[in-house]
């Protein structure tokens, strides 16, 4: 996941944004919560469902009826006595009954006194655990707090769960980087990107350009801001409490807000600090903990040292959510088949970083189904550094050939889990063959040849032998059974060519015999339309053509394309003159010349722009933008324009007009008799709605006349400009703000047409408000991104 861009904000805009979010600059910058780096006590927890018992590390969610065994894991010399409380919750607006809160005295000798044995009640949705220093009346205080303000605890449990899961990914990333640093730091350059992608951890690519000894430390700087959103377990909408989502995201992009790049983990930690600061009292202060799981042990991490004096610290830990199981939706990385015979086979998956950082995915295996229907399972294990699952046991020797279907499956906690399917290929000794294009290679240029055979994914290399020493050639996988090789034939001689194809597990390579021939251009047609300054040639090997002569007009190659076995070459007159004649003299690169008859084509239709006018579309809103440039076509208007036939020609009722952007990315055809109507034999009037070009069309437009299948030359028409909707401009003592939609379409704003002192708008700007200079004469001057040379005037009516 790539980090979001960082828009630039002035100090004034930042202060306004923080005020709107209910925050102060000092709150965000100076009051960052401390990192959770202080080890706390632990808990031993198991969960039983349907007769099966799992340690807490393998339980992603709880369910009604689950049996829980919970006890504190404290050292033998523990002197401070803790009461262990459990509380079930049923949502933010529904106080739990008193019997949903239970307690145990962790220092007692008997198991039944120091251990909690619980059953998840019907209707419960969240569960919290509390470690409370022994104090008279603690039980009533905890019960009252949970029942009086259930919403605060619900939010706390949700955020602690989120933060703990995010922390597990960060811990996995840090551990892997540290391990690599201690063993082979030179491989961090390849390992770190794989870990970043698997665990959804932000990667600073600049770190990998440093010397090897400094890479690990650089990668682990500002750890808390490394955690990106995990689509399986988090949401981006809770970045800052009480702030609109868009504002919250913009704040988090800015360095002034103290976050650097956007990090949901930081947002969650901030929310936890706010929530717990809201319901403390003189007797107890609530101290959040992040839980790391290992087997049946829940280790608690603190962000502050607990207090045993009033207010005493109550340690709060979150249990997994009580809801229906939600296994991750793993996706296959890439669409090509995999080579099952390749050592270190990886089943690449993406979409669920928690499979690498938690024990939720259990008993993972891959089922192999062969062509004869035989099926067997092999265990697999997740490897974040490899980007997927690897086999925990080797494949059976022999018996696997051709295509084999592999399906990932296992358990997600207590629930069965079905993952994606993969297609594995195994070499079967079959022959390889070249496509028809490979049967006649041409020396003097590189040749792309398709080779078809079995287990294309298992091809490890292709070498070419052509008279001299063998040389490796590049290849790419195309589909399940095809590879494309690029044969370097520029300096080769005509003759036999042999390709050796090496595959994983094959003792000897498979060979394909080809024949290379000397080039010889074959010209099928030379087409010239009357009055044109270019000709079109079709045939084969037209790249051998050096030039074309028609009478005294010399034409040079100006664009070669290939359609299957047919080459198409455009040759254009160097001096811009129209060519006339019945024969073309073709000069080849080797000095030979060919005489080819010309196929005459009727003159292509031509027209010029006569007049144009604009009319607004219905439903336009906002303040008007005006400009003196008559070539501008706003996307909120319709263009009516007339064209005049070229001298000596006439228009017909069936003539159409094609309108397109300058780069050809969008076009529309105005049909004759419907969008185009004749005013006279040499004048036609057409109407263009820019919406027909699509929402992304912008910039210079051009048109050409189309008659049947013959198209004329392009003629400039207008400049299509997407206009922002500006609703108002509000001015106060400290400055002015422009309000509206699609403000990212604005490039600069100034108070005078010469754009002196203009304010630039960042690319990709998303806010509905923009700080602009203080108005001088009641108007603003704007330059839009679609028309960088045109100044628009906005009358600020507010």
């Amino acid at each position: 996941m790539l980090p979001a861009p960082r828009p630039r904000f002035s100090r004034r805009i930042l202060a306004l944004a923080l005020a709107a979010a209910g925050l102060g600059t000092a709150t965000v910058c100076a009051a960052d919560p401390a990192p959770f780096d202080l080890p706390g006590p632990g808990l031993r927890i198991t969960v039983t469902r349907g007769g099966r018992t799992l340690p807490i590390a393998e339980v992603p969610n709880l369910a009604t009826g689950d049996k829980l065994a919970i006890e504190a894991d404290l050292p033998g010399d523990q002197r401070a006595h803790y009461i262990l409380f459990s509380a079930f919750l049923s949502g933010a607006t529904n106080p739990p009954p008193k019997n949903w809160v239970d307690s145990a005295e962790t220092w007692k000798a008997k198991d039944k006194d120091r251990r909690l044995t619980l059953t998840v009640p019907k209707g419960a949705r969240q569960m919290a655990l509390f470690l409370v220093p022994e104090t008279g009346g603690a039980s009533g205080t905890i019960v009252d707090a949970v029942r009086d303000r259930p919403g605060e605890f619900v939010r706390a449990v949700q955020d602690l769960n989120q933060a703990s899961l995010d922390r597990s990914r960060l811990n996995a990333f840090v551990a892997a980087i540290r391990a690599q640093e201690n063993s082979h730091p030179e491989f961090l350059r390849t390992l770190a990107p794989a870990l970043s992608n698997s665990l959804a951890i932000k990667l600073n690519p600049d770190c990998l350009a440093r010397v090897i000894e400094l890479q690990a430390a650089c990668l682990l700087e500002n750890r808390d801001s490394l955690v990106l959103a995990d689509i399986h377990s988090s949401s981006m909408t809770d970045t800052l409490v009480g702030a609109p989502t868009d504002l919250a995201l913009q704040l988090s992009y800015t360095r002034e807000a103290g976050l650097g790049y956007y990090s949901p983990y930081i947002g969650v930690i901030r929310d936890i600090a706010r929530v717990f600061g809201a319901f403390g009292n003189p007797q107890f202060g609530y101290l959040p903990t992040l839980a790391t799981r290992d087997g049946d042990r829940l280790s608690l991490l603190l962000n502050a040292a607990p207090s045993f004096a009033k207010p005493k610290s109550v340690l709060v830990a979150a249990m997994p959510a009580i809801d229906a199981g939600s296994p991750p939706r793993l996706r296959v990385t890439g669409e090509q088949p995999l080579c099952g015979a390749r050592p270190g086979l990886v089943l690449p998956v993406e979409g669920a970083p928690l499979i690498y950082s938690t024990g939720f995915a259990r008993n993972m295996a891959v089922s192999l189904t062969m062509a004869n229907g035989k099926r067997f399972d092999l265990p697999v294990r997740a490897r974040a550094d490899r980007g997927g699952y690897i086999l925990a046991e080797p494949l059976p020797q022999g018996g696997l050939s051709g295509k084999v279907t592999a399906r990932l499956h296992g358990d997600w906690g207590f629930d069965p889990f079905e993952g994606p399917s993969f297609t594995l290929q195994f070499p079967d000794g079959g022959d390889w063959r070249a496509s028809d294009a490979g049967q006649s290679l041409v020396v003097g240029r590189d040749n792309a040849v398709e080779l078809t055979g079995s287990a294309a994914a298992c091809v490890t290399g292709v070498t070419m032998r052509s008279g001299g020493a063998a040389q490796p050639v590049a290849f790419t996988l195309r589909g399940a059974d095809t590879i494309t090789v690029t044969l370097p034939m520029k300096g080769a001689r005509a003759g036999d060519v042999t390709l050796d194809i090496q595959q994983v597990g094959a003792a000897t390579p498979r060979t394909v015999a080809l024949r290379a021939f000397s080039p010889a251009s074959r010209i099928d047609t030379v087409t010239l339309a009357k009055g044109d300054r270019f000709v079109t040639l079709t045939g084969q090997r037209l790249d051998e053509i050096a030039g074309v002569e028609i009478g005294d007009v010399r034409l040079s190659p100006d664009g070669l394309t290939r359609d299957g076995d047919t080459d198409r070459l455009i040759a254009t007159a160097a001096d811009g003159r129209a060519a006339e004649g019945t024969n073309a003299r073709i000069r080849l690169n080797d000095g030979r010349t060919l005489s080819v008859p010309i196929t005459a084509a009727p003159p292509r239709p031509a027209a010029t722009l006569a007049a144009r006018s604009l009319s607004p579309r219905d439903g336009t809103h906002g303040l008007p933008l005006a400009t003196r440039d008559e070539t501008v076509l706003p996307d909120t208007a319709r263009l009516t324009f007339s064209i005049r036939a070229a001298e000596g020609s006439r228009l017909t009722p069936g003539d159409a007009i094609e309108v397109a952007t300058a780069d050809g990315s969008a076009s529309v055809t105005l049909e004759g008799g419907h969008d185009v109507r004749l005013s006279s034999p040499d004048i036609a009037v057409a109407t263009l709605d820019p919406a027909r070009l699509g929402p992304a069309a912008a910039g210079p437009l051009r048109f050409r006349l189309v008659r049947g299948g013959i198209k004329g030359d392009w003629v400039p028409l207008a400049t299509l400009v997407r206009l922002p909707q500006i609703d108002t401009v509000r001015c106060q003592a400290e400055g002015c703000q422009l309000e509206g939609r699609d403000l990212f379409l604005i490039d600069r704003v100034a108070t005078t047409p010469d754009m002196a002192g203009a304010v630039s708008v960042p690319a990709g700007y998303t806010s509905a408000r923009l700080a602009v200079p203080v108005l001088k004469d009641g108007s603003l001057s704007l330059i839009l991104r679609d028309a960088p040379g045109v100044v628009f005037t906005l009358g600020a009516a507010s």
Side-chain angles (χ1 to χ4, degrees), residues 330 347 349 364-366 380 389 406-410 417-420 422:
L330 293 179
L347 303 178
V349 294
M364 296 302 294
V366 61
V380 294
Y389 281 92
R407 186 169 188 86
L408 197 63
H409 66 89
F417 166 51
E418 288 292 333
F422 305 84

Side-chain angles (χ1 to χ4, degrees), residues 326-472:
S326 178
R329 297 179 177 88
L330 293 179
R331 301 184 301 272
V332 178
T333 305
E335 299 179 356
Q336 299 288 2
L338 306 173
C339 179
R342 193 180 300 275
L345 171 66
V346 177
L347 303 178
V349 294
E350 61 182 12
L354 294 183
I355 66 173
Y356 303 109
S357 64
T358 70
F360 298 161
R362 309 169 41 248
N363 303 324
M364 296 302 294
V366 61
S367 294
L368 302 179
T369 304
M370 295 182 290
N372 60 5
K374 184 180 179 181
R375 172 178 169 173
F376 59 93
D377 289 356
L378 287 175
V380 294
R381 65 175 183 269
R383 285 281 298 271
D385 59 334
R386 304 289 297 278
Y389 281 92
I390 64 170
L391 297 178
E393 299 178 1
L395 288 166
Q397 297 295 323
L400 292 174
S401 64
K403 295 181 181 179
V404 174
T405 300
R407 186 169 188 86
L408 197 63
H409 66 89
D411 295 313
W412 185 253
F414 288 99
D415 301 320
F417 166 51
E418 288 292 333
S421 294
F422 305 84
T423 298
L424 304 184
Q425 293 182 339
F426 296 87
D428 59 6
D431 291 332
W432 282 74
R433 62 184 183 279
S435 63
D436 293 340
Q439 302 303 321
S440 55
L441 304 178
V442 178
V443 299
R445 66 183 186 189
D446 292 345
N447 290 250
V449 179
E450 287 190 349
L451 303 175
T452 302
S454 64
C458 294
V459 174
T460 58
V462 180
T463 56
M464 180 182 77
R465 291 181 283 120
S466 178
Q471 61 175 316

